[in-house]
Amino acid sequence: MRSNIACIHAAVAAAVVTLLLAGCGERTDAEIVESARTKLQTNERQTAIIELKTVLQRSPQSGTARVVLGQALLDGGAPALAMVELEKARELKHDDNAVVPPLARAM
């Protein structure tokens, strides 16, 4: 009986810790984009692409995420996909200085 109660307490404590950590782990879009940029510098392209797509699911209007994703796709050998993201960034009125050079490379 005593061990059952101890197991229940341990399970409840583990669940509480998990919930607390999940709430504290929420990163902002800017933090995720910065993390993706870092991953691109260390050749972790696929992880960076996943992070950027996560940002775009939450914030489809993020021109910055679209530009960084477009550059990652372009560098990964997918110019057609890069063009889609970079053109969307232009439609969102993102800074042409950031959008046009990679868009020109993708064409």
Side-chain angles (χ1 to χ4, degrees), residues 52-96:
L52 293 163
K53 287 182 177 183
T54 298
V55 170
L56 291 172
Q57 284 179 340
R58 294 190 325 195
S59 304
Q61 304 300 315
S62 175
T64 301
R66 290 198 183 277
V67 169
V68 176
L69 178 57
Q71 291 172 334
L73 292 167
L74 182 60
D75 293 343
L81 295 174
M83 282 181 60
V84 170
E85 295 303 330
L86 294 165
E87 287 173 353
K88 286 180 183 177
R90 270 193 101 187
E91 290 170 10
L92 293 168
K93 308 281 190 241
H94 195 73
D95 182 16
D96 276 344

Side-chain angles (χ1 to χ4, degrees), residues 1-76:
M1 179 77 147
R2 186 174 181 158
S3 64
N4 286 345
I5 293 174
C7 287
I8 292 171
H9 284 283
V12 170
V16 169
V17 168
T18 300
L19 290 173
L20 288 173
L21 289 175
C24 294
E26 188 72 24
R27 298 185 299 166
T28 66
D29 291 346
E31 290 171 333
I32 296 170
V33 170
E34 189 57 37
S35 172
R37 284 186 170 132
T38 301
K39 285 178 176 43
L40 289 171
Q41 291 173 350
T42 60
N43 293 321
E44 297 177 68
R45 185 173 293 111
Q46 286 305 109
T47 304
I49 288 171
I50 291 167
E51 286 186 329
L52 293 163
K53 287 182 177 183
T54 298
V55 170
L56 291 172
Q57 284 179 340
R58 294 190 325 195
S59 304
Q61 304 300 315
S62 175
T64 301
R66 290 198 183 277
V67 169
V68 176
L69 178 57
Q71 291 172 334
L73 292 167
L74 182 60
D75 293 343

